[in-house]
Amino acid sequence: MTRADILTLPADPYPFEFVPRRTALLIIDMQRDFLEPGGFGEMLGNDAGQLRRTIEPNRRLLAAWRDAGLLVLHTREGHRPDLADLPQAKRLRGRGARTIGDSGPMGRILVRGEAGHDIIPELYPVPGEPVIDKPGKGAFFATDLHAILQASGIDRLVVTGVTTEVCVNTTVREANDRGYDCLVVEDCVGSYFPEFQAAGLAMIRAQGGIFGWVASSPALLAALAAAGLARFPELKGAA
Ligand code: TIU
């Protein structure tokens, strides 16, 4: 098996096939402000614990993807320090006491360069992994993601991150309209709301995979390991 062969894994609504070297891992917005206790997410009244269960499966998948020598990209939701790219509508809509650009528990909320805006240490990018700074929910809006994927010969995306019904779903829908097939990894995406987690995944795979496929990370790790692409010992026995 090589990175050019087609791999198959069990998925909903039917098995997902991919050529590893043409498939990128896209990790959405695993930022401190969304995932860490006391961050912006919790300030809004959410339970960050709902998202933190995705950290370990993401860490394992990221390690496998890196080990296989495949493309990894990370995104961060946030804005310029002068907020020139922040629409008034987005700034004001939540009607919270504090909003984007204000000082929060880990620096200015969702502002680039601030501690809370950065990616959690467990999944921190390594040199060579593009980091896409996006002002919107979708990773394609006002970014160079599509150009980078095209230049890298990518036609399929394995999508993980937070939150399932907001930035993950928006990105998968944008990817569909640009011609990418998407696999959403169910244990590697998270929502503050269990009912939205379920609905967000159901909407991807409904109608014969209207937006793509849903599978588990153990199934994906097993496909990589069976192909000899991910060699590290943790993967042995992945079901
Ligand atoms: N990354 C992302 O999903 N941004 C959000 O604001 N999500 C919420 O669920 N609020």
Side-chain angles (χ1 to χ4, degrees), residues 28-31 34 40-41 44 46 51 75-77 90 100 110 134 136-137 161-170 190-193 196:
I28 305 287
D29 298 358
M30 292 293 278
Q31 292 162 257
F34 293 126
F40 178 50
L44 296 176
N46 297 308
L51 306 189
T75 72
R76 298 184 295 202
E77 180 177 351
K90 182 176 180 182
I100 297 169
L110 293 191
K134 62 187 188 61
K137 303 304 184 199
V162 299
T163 63
T164 309
E165 77 279 16
V166 182
C167 293
V168 171
N169 249 268
T170 306
S191 169
Y192 296 118
F193 308 95
F196 292 166

Side-chain angles (χ1 to χ4, degrees), residues 23-35:
T23 305
L25 174 62
L26 181 63
I27 305 178
I28 305 287
D29 298 358
M30 292 293 278
Q31 292 162 257
R32 298 183 62 195
D33 251 334
F34 293 126
L35 285 127

Side-chain angles (χ1 to χ4, degrees), residues 55 60 67 119-120 139 142 152 157 160 163 167 176 201 219 222 236 239:
I55 295 174
R60 288 166 56 92
D67 192 47
I119 292 172
I120 57 171
S152 305
L157 299 175
T160 75
T163 63
C167 293
N176 264 265
L201 291 172
K236 296 227 164 66

Side-chain angles (χ1 to χ4, degrees), residues 98-226:
R98 278 184 287 178
T99 183
I100 297 169
D102 293 345
S103 73
M106 285 182 277
R108 292 179 68 204
I109 296 164
L110 293 191
V111 169
R112 293 175 193 160
E114 302 288 336
H117 170 264
D118 211 354
I119 292 172
I120 57 171
E122 295 91 331
L123 302 176
Y124 209 76
V126 298
E129 294 176 352
V131 178
I132 308 293
D133 276 322
K134 62 187 188 61
K137 303 304 184 199
F140 288 87
F141 170 68
T143 72
D144 53 9
L145 175 59
H146 187 50
I148 293 173
L149 296 175
Q150 292 293 293
S152 305
I154 298 297
D155 60 18
R156 300 203 169 207
L157 299 175
V158 169
V159 185
T160 75
V162 299
T163 63
T164 309
E165 77 279 16
V166 182
C167 293
V168 171
N169 249 268
T170 306
T171 297
V172 167
R173 290 164 191 234
E174 288 183 327
N176 264 265
D177 287 343
R178 287 162 178 80
Y180 299 96
D181 274 328
C182 294
L183 175 73
V184 177
V185 187
E186 59 193 343
D187 49 320
C188 293
V189 295
S191 169
Y192 296 118
F193 308 95
E195 65 274 30
F196 292 166
Q197 170 79 359
L201 291 172
M203 281 189 276
I204 302 287
R205 64 183 173 231
Q207 303 182 63
I210 191 85
F211 293 122
W213 288 257
V214 175
S216 70
S217 68
L220 182 52
L221 293 174
L224 290 174

